[in-house]
Amino acid sequence: MSTPLPLAEQFQYGLDAPICLTWELTYACNLACVHCLSSSGRRDPRELSTAECKAVIDELERMQVFYVNIGGGEPTVRSDFWELVDYATAHHVGVKFSTNGVRITPEVAARLAASDYVDMQISLDGATEAVNDAVRGPGSYQTAMRAMANLAAAGFRGFKLSVVVTRHNAGQLDEFKAIADRFGAQLRLTRLRPSGRGADVWDELHPTAAQQRELYDWLVAHGERVLTGDSFFHLAAYGDALPGLNLCGAGRMVCLIDPVGDVYACPFAIHDSFRAGNVRGEGGFTGVWRTSELFADLRQPQTGGACTSCSAFDACRGGCMAAKFFTGLPLDGPDPECVKGHGAAALAAVDLELVPKPSLDHSRPASRRAGPVPVTIGARPPDRACEESPLAGLRL
Amino acid sequence: MPAQVSIRPERFGALLYHFGTRRLSFLKSPELLKVVQVLADFPTARAACTDAGVSAAELPAYRAALATLAASEMIRERKPS
């Protein structure tokens, strides 16, 4: 049997269609998680209509995209959410969706349990209420627990419990596993990215070097029983690769469609620099995937830059493009969480003024973290000392 | 091949996705894809391989590849009708 190139190298040059893609259906969300990678909160008025979404699904069916990872925002708050899920599965496009659990009632759970083509994940970022709610907001732990209890009671086996690993929950991996086991779910751990609002909290929330090492050992010990969505491939530089392809699929095997139809290289790269086009354009999604210049660039052999001489480069491939971009590191340099420590050194040299900011922000006004409020202080002195009238000095 | 398995031909061979187990597999050569596509038309896997042009020397490699696919439920023994 001939194998001309290892699969990983084949994938570097991209596929004619994504294997799967992430589709954020709405920026609207009932929560305001501090690390939200899409800076969600408010619905965007330009959101794709039901008909436009169905046209995208028709294209995905023709391209034989196996499944879509639907997220948001909180996708279930779209009034046509279940209609779109049914439409996708009827058109042979499998659905996995991420939810905070707010709409997973016993009735919905029963309906989900009956479908072979729908998978879902409940997000939880702390194995205890205190740790979770500090990141995801008050009440979100109870919401997720109630949703999982409903799913378990409805007989939905093997849904996913999805956890973003942070400095505060990295010590709770066994507890997360116990929660997943209790509800007949499978644990999925993913990496905190400095994307969206995550950029604001990454410094204080990303796992320490020691925690990364423990995480890696824990993942190796648990093998394929714990999913990672390939998100920790930068840890492969510790030694053995983790289960999965261990490579960045951005624009090659995966991509993101955002609520207004913009197509980005990956879900963690919502920024003009990684925007390949829009599904509303003439060629639709297929045209963007096959002809965008950005994706063509990403499918060129990538240079390792400063990493090329590192003994671990073949394992980690320089890590995550989005993590580098949003921490101000060069894309051909080390990952900010490089296990060899090269990222920490590179970060120290970054000019914070030049770090790219997310291009979009749908946060609700109050959900940005409290911090200094920029004000313009007028150069004009007060009209009079102790003038109490709020209209003092107002000129109409 | 179970109805829940979807097959997508690629330059290197094919991608397989199982909607039940939600697992992805790869067929690493166009020849293996051909074998998998004709499996159901032959009484034995060996006969399918022969039809697809697999030489005797290559049979063990195909046996191993098919066993891996069977282990992940991408293909299965046909039910007696």
Side-chain angles (χ1 to χ4, degrees):
Chain A
M1 205 173 350
S2 59
T3 39
L5 272 177
L7 280 178
E9 294 199 22
Q10 295 268 6
F11 291 145
Q12 265 194 66
Y13 297 104
L15 301 175
D16 291 340
I19 292 176
C20 64
L21 58 88
T22 301
W23 189 356
E24 316 279 37
L25 273 185
T26 181
Y27 281 120
C29 191
N30 54 311
L31 298 183
C33 306
V34 298
H35 60 347
C36 179
L37 54 90
S38 57
S39 299
S40 285
R42 289 169 296 132
R43 196 182 85 86
D44 193 305
R46 298 166 299 157
E47 212 166 68
L48 295 179
S49 68
T50 307
E52 287 174 316
C53 288
K54 287 182 176 176
V56 170
I57 293 168
D58 291 340
E59 281 195 76
L60 301 183
E61 180 184 24
R62 283 195 292 275
M63 295 174 91
Q64 272 198 286
V65 174
F66 293 125
Y67 60 93
V68 287
N69 297 302
I70 293 180
E74 170 54 45
T76 62
V77 303
R78 259 188 83 126
S79 58
D80 57 0
F81 176 72
W82 302 108
E83 181 183 350
L84 292 174
V85 168
D86 288 344
Y87 190 86
T89 56
H91 287 77
H92 311 105
V93 178
V95 170
K96 300 184 184 185
F97 70 94
S98 296
T99 175
N100 56 46
V102 66
R103 293 279 166 93
I104 309 303
T105 60
E107 296 74 33
V108 167
R111 180 192 163 140
L112 288 167
S115 172
D116 274 346
Y117 290 86
V118 180
D119 191 13
M120 60 176 302
Q121 52 190 41
I122 303 279
S123 301
L124 189 75
D125 295 331
T128 52
E129 189 162 358
V131 171
N132 177 78
D133 288 8
V135 167
R136 302 185 58 81
S140 56
Y141 181 87
Q142 291 301 339
T143 300
M145 286 297 183
R146 191 167 53 238
M148 289 192 283
N150 288 341
L151 289 166
F156 192 134
R157 309 293 298 170
F159 67 88
K160 313 300 182 285
L161 168 59
S162 188
V163 175
V164 174
V165 179
T166 67
R167 194 168 300 178
H168 302 305
N169 69 23
Q172 298 184 313
L173 302 182
D174 288 332
E175 287 88 336
F176 281 120
K177 181 79 167 53
I179 293 173
D181 290 346
R182 171 152 45 106
F183 292 115
Q186 188 172 17
L187 182 59
R188 180 172 188 268
L189 300 178
T190 59
R191 185 178 179 194
L192 175 72
R193 304 304 205 298
S195 314
R197 286 197 294 271
D200 300 342
V201 294
W202 188 82
D203 279 339
E204 55 203 88
L205 280 189
H206 80 91
T208 63
Q211 287 176 326
Q212 282 211 116
R213 177 73 221 200
E214 286 166 22
L215 168 65
Y216 171 78
D217 291 338
W218 195 91
L219 287 171
V220 168
H222 287 79
E224 298 200 353
R225 283 169 293 157
V226 172
L227 304 172
T228 63
D230 241 8
S231 71
F232 296 107
F233 65 88
H234 70 296
L235 300 183
Y238 278 130
D240 296 330
L242 297 165
L245 287 169
N246 284 291
L247 60 92
C248 168
R252 307 173 186 101
M253 294 132 65
V254 301
C255 68
L256 167 78
I257 302 177
D258 93 340
V260 301
D262 280 334
V263 179
Y264 294 90
C266 94
F268 314 107
I270 301 184
H271 189 278
D272 289 342
S273 303
F274 298 107
R275 188 161 47 118
N278 190 291
V279 301
R280 285 173 166 141
E282 205 176 313
F285 172 72
T286 317
V288 176
W289 180 263
R290 293 190 178 153
T291 63
S292 111
E293 285 178 31
L294 171 73
F295 286 177
D297 276 352
L298 287 172
R299 293 165 195 166
Q300 296 297 313
Q302 306 289 305
T303 58
C307 292
T308 315
S309 59
C310 177
S311 60
F313 181 65
D314 280 346
C316 80
R317 298 257 138 215
C320 172
M321 178 179 79
K324 289 190 260 203
F325 182 78
F326 287 115
T327 49
L329 296 179
L331 297 188
D332 63 352
D335 187 285
E337 295 181 289
C338 164
V339 303
K340 303 282 186 192
H342 302 308
L347 281 176
V350 166
D351 180 349
L352 294 180
E353 293 295 313
L354 300 179
V355 175
K357 294 279 176 277
S359 305
L360 298 176
D361 188 355
H362 291 81
S363 304
R364 274 176 271 120
S367 71
R368 275 279 173 191
R369 307 184 82 217
V373 177
V375 291
T376 308
I377 298 179
R380 205 166 47 79
D383 284 344
R384 233 177 302 159
C386 301
E387 173 56 80
E388 286 176 341
S389 164
L391 298 179
L394 181 69
R395 286 175 209 142
L396 294 171
Chain B
M1 182 171 287
Q4 281 176 307
V5 175
S6 182
I7 189 163
R8 189 172 106 185
E10 295 287 344
R11 286 187 294 273
F12 59 84
L15 291 166
L16 296 184
Y17 183 71
H18 193 303
F19 284 95
T21 63
R22 302 187 177 104
R23 291 184 72 105
L24 187 68
S25 286
F26 310 96
L27 301 183
K28 295 183 186 175
S29 74
E31 297 79 20
L32 181 56
L33 169 63
K34 198 171 169 206
V35 170
V36 170
Q37 284 172 327
V38 301
L39 261 186
D41 304 332
F42 289 88
T44 64
R46 179 186 295 263
C49 287
T50 307
D51 180 76
V54 177
S55 70
E58 293 173 307
L59 276 177
Y62 280 80
R63 185 199 308 270
L66 292 174
T68 304
L69 290 173
S72 56
E73 301 170 47
M74 290 294 181
I75 57 175
R76 65 182 177 209
E77 218 170 320
R78 66 175 70 84
K79 293 194 183 94
S81 47

